[in-house]
Each structure stands twice: as C-alpha cells, then as structure tokens.
Amino acid sequence: MKRKIKINFSDFHKGFNPENSEYMNVLREKYDVEISDHPDYLIYSVFGTEYLKYDCVRIFYTGECVVPNFNECDYAIGFDRISFGDRYIRVPIYLLHSFKQDYLNILDRKEFTKEDLDKKEDFCSFVYSNCFAQDIRTTIFNKLSEYKQVSSGGRYLNNIGGAVKDKTEFQSKHKFSIAFENSSYRGYTTEKIVQSFSAYTIPIYYGDPDVVLDFNEKAFINCHDYKNLDEVVEKVKEIDQNDDLYLSMINENPIKDKKDLDAFKNFLYYIIDQDYSSAFRRPHSMYTESYDKMLKRHQFFEKYIYTNYKYAKNQITRLKTGTILTSKRTK
C-alpha cells in the first residue's frame, strides 16, 4: 500500500504538463500521488510568484540561471555548486527530462573512426531560438561564418529554410557544434554541451567557467580558455584542418565527473519520507514574514499592472481597427 501524498506545481514554463513530468513519474514509483489545490508539497520554478499562495513544504526547481531563495523555499534543486545542509542538491538539467538520454548516450560512446569523419557533411551547427540571450552567440556565429558556413537550424538566424525537427540528427552531420549557454555563470551548465557530445560533434562551449569540473577539457573547445573569440576561431580552424587532432579529441571520454543518476529521485524521497511537521526548513521570523508580505504585495501589483496593460493594449488595437466606438463621455 503506497502512502498517499498531495502535491501541486506552480510557476513552470508555458506548456508544462505536471501529469507527464519527470517529477510525477519519480514520485508515483513510491507514492500514491494526488495533484491538489491544497497540497502538502509544492514544486515550483522561476516563471512567476504563484508559489507565495501555498503555505506548505516548498521545493524550488530551476532549469534557468537563477539562484534559489532559501527564505522562500524549504528545499531547492539547481545549478550552483553550493552546500546548504540537507536543503539543496545540484542536479543540472541534462540529468533530467528528455535530456537525460543524451547524457546516458555519452556514458558509453563507440570509437569514432576516420570513416565516420569522412561521412560528416557539414562544418558547424548552431541551433537556437532564443534571440534575447547574450550577443556573444551572434558574435561567434558571425566570426565562424567568415571561415565556413555555419548551419543555423533553430528559429534564430536560421539559414537552412526552417527549424529542424531532430536536433541530434542535424548536429550529427557537422564536425563542430556551437554550445553556448544563454549566460555565463559558475555552475550553469545545461543540456547544450551534452547534446553536442551525444551527436558526435566537438562542442565549442561557452557558459559555465567551471565546466571542466564536469566535462573533460580535452574533448571540447572551452571558450573560457581563450582571451577572445578570435583565438577560439583560430583553434577551430586548426582542429578542422587536422584529421588526427580532430579524431583524438572526439574520442576522448567527455565525462570527467560522472553524476549520480538517482540523486534527483533520492532527494525528493528524502523530503517526503520525513515526518511532515519536521520537513519544513525555511525560516519564520518577524523579518521573513515582512519579506513574504512584501513579495505578495509585489505579486498583486504585478498582476494588476499586467492585467490593465493587456486591457489597454486590446482597447488601442480595437480603436485602430475601428471595432470599438468612443463613448459619448470622452467626445
């Protein structure tokens, strides 16, 4: 007989489906899980402040470059390489969701041969759809494009006639892949470098300055090792023009620090297997209560402003298109 738990989710990205999430899959292995508006446990992320409504055990998860606020959560799962008692665990996003398979793929890679290299059709891939990230992505794309064509298969800077459906298949046709995070921050290593390794390309990586704590520096081009991107481009040219050097790099074991694939699961089980009353960790004091009230006021005004902005924008559109009449009072 499984223990029954009530859980809810908030502030995840648009399109997030709790029922098909890794969180539910993991929890249902051990518990009878009910999604409830009055949960005992809340798992929340970075895309909002709805979590403030819930006075229960709060578990924060981020797949973005955001540091947990331990005044607001009891436990957190993130990117930072920090210790915080039993309240925190580092689980990079490449160990979760659909990205986990890419990580599993690189744990047991076959030898890459000269014949495999001869089958590579293209030079370098670039697959991004977020145009709001740091300009350094655009810069490396432009600089490498001066040497050879860089194939952009995402919606951003697309030059192949449309976005690709299978990123891994697309990347695998290329010798190199641009694996740039949307920002540079210690610990923030996402799926990008893992997907590049999984596709048997050499990643050109930028993001986490400490990425070599996780991945073998001999297996990829780490932009943090160079003074500027011009030096990076020269290194890419050198490897591109030397098959022996290319083969030696791509046959390096990408993994430097093998991760515990059950860490995420065990962390959630640890939280829930405690006596509920003793599972809370976030502080309660006159100062944290004031801070909480301040955040809730901010949440209210944020919603108020956004709602009125949407209304005003809609009214302006209707006025421009002639679908609304000006009231007599304003004439």
Side-chain angles (χ1 to χ4, degrees):
M1 188 74 177
K2 293 181 178 180
R3 173 188 163 195
K4 186 168 185 177
I5 61 171
K6 293 189 295 182
I7 196 165
N8 208 347
F9 299 84
S10 74
D11 307 307
F12 277 83
H13 56 84
K14 186 178 180 181
F16 172 75
N17 184 352
E19 290 289 353
N20 295 328
S21 68
E22 181 147 1
Y23 315 96
M24 289 294 285
N25 292 337
V26 164
L27 292 173
R28 280 176 170 154
E29 289 181 17
K30 190 171 184 180
Y31 311 103
D32 178 8
V33 185
E34 174 190 349
I35 295 181
S36 170
D37 290 333
H38 303 283
D40 297 317
Y41 305 92
L42 176 76
I43 301 176
Y44 71 99
S45 193
V46 301
F47 301 99
T49 54
E50 289 297 307
Y51 68 91
L52 292 169
K53 300 190 307 184
Y54 297 91
D55 187 18
C56 61
V57 174
R58 296 176 185 166
I59 305 166
F60 173 75
Y61 167 78
T62 181
E64 303 295 336
C65 188
V66 177
V67 180
N69 183 343
F70 288 97
N71 288 312
E72 292 302 311
C73 65
D74 296 285
Y75 304 91
I77 303 164
F79 289 99
D80 287 86
R81 294 183 177 92
I82 58 175
S83 296
F84 208 84
D86 65 349
R87 299 179 61 185
Y88 177 77
I89 189 170
R90 181 176 186 261
V91 182
I93 194 172
Y94 58 76
L95 296 178
L96 299 171
H97 318 302
S98 60
F99 310 124
K100 185 175 181 179
Q101 186 57 53
D102 292 309
Y103 187 78
L104 292 173
N105 290 343
I106 67 176
L107 291 178
D108 186 27
R109 297 207 310 175
K110 67 179 181 65
E111 182 184 2
F112 190 86
T113 66
K114 180 64 167 61
E115 288 71 27
D116 293 322
L117 179 56
D118 291 339
K119 294 176 184 177
K120 292 281 187 182
E121 300 173 3
D122 299 298
F123 165 55
C124 183
S125 66
F126 179 92
V127 187
Y128 294 93
S129 295
N130 178 10
C131 62
F132 300 106
Q134 294 182 3
D135 287 342
I136 192 168
R137 281 181 179 172
T138 309
T139 303
I140 191 63
F141 174 85
N142 291 334
K143 286 183 176 294
L144 280 173
S145 295
E146 291 175 4
Y147 169 61
K148 286 184 178 180
Q149 177 173 327
V150 177
S151 306
S152 177
R155 292 190 296 274
Y156 181 54
L157 299 177
N158 186 277
N159 59 10
I160 63 167
V164 297
K165 293 182 179 180
D166 190 324
K167 182 178 179 180
T168 300
E169 181 183 1
F170 176 71
Q171 285 186 314
S172 68
K173 299 175 182 178
H174 298 77
K175 294 176 69 176
F176 302 89
S177 54
I178 295 174
F180 274 41
E181 309 292 2
N182 59 32
S183 55
S184 179
Y185 177 74
R186 294 191 184 280
Y188 182 58
T189 307
T190 71
E191 77 285 354
K192 295 174 180 61
I193 190 171
V194 172
Q195 289 179 328
S196 297
F197 283 134
S198 179
Y200 282 90
T201 73
I202 291 180
I204 305 167
Y205 181 80
Y206 169 85
D208 178 6
D210 294 330
V211 65
V212 295
L213 296 177
D214 294 331
F215 298 100
N216 180 2
E217 60 268 29
K218 295 179 181 180
F220 66 101
I221 300 168
N222 184 4
C223 293
H224 298 279
D225 288 341
Y226 299 88
K227 292 179 182 178
N228 52 54
L229 292 181
D230 290 328
E231 288 191 1
V232 173
V233 171
E234 291 305 312
K235 186 63 178 179
V236 174
K237 289 180 182 179
E238 178 190 354
I239 300 168
D240 182 46
Q241 296 166 13
N242 186 328
D243 287 353
D244 290 337
L245 180 56
Y246 185 91
L247 289 170
S248 69
M249 286 190 68
I250 204 165
N251 280 311
E252 286 281 346
N253 179 3
I255 303 296
K256 188 171 186 178
D257 177 27
K258 186 177 178 180
K259 303 301 181 186
D260 179 3
L261 297 175
D262 290 326
F264 173 75
K265 175 193 296 187
N266 292 335
F267 187 66
L268 290 181
Y269 291 171
Y270 167 75
I271 295 167
I272 295 171
D273 285 344
Q274 298 175 78
D275 178 74
Y276 182 72
S277 61
S278 62
F280 290 86
R281 293 291 187 276
R282 64 185 187 270
H284 288 280
S285 70
M286 59 182 290
Y287 300 105
T288 54
E289 288 174 4
S290 296
Y291 177 63
D292 199 61
K293 289 177 181 178
M294 178 191 71
L295 288 176
K296 288 178 179 177
R297 286 196 299 270
H298 173 76
Q299 177 191 42
F300 170 80
F301 285 115
E302 186 180 62
K303 284 186 176 180
Y304 177 82
I305 292 169
Y306 180 68
T307 300
N308 282 275
Y309 164 76
K310 286 181 65 179
Y311 174 78
K313 186 177 180 181
N314 183 50
Q315 292 297 87
I316 291 170
T317 301
R318 294 175 69 187
L319 280 167
K320 286 181 177 179
T321 58
T323 57
I324 188 172
L325 297 175
T326 306
S327 65
K328 294 181 180 179
R329 186 182 304 172
T330 59
K331 288 183 179 179

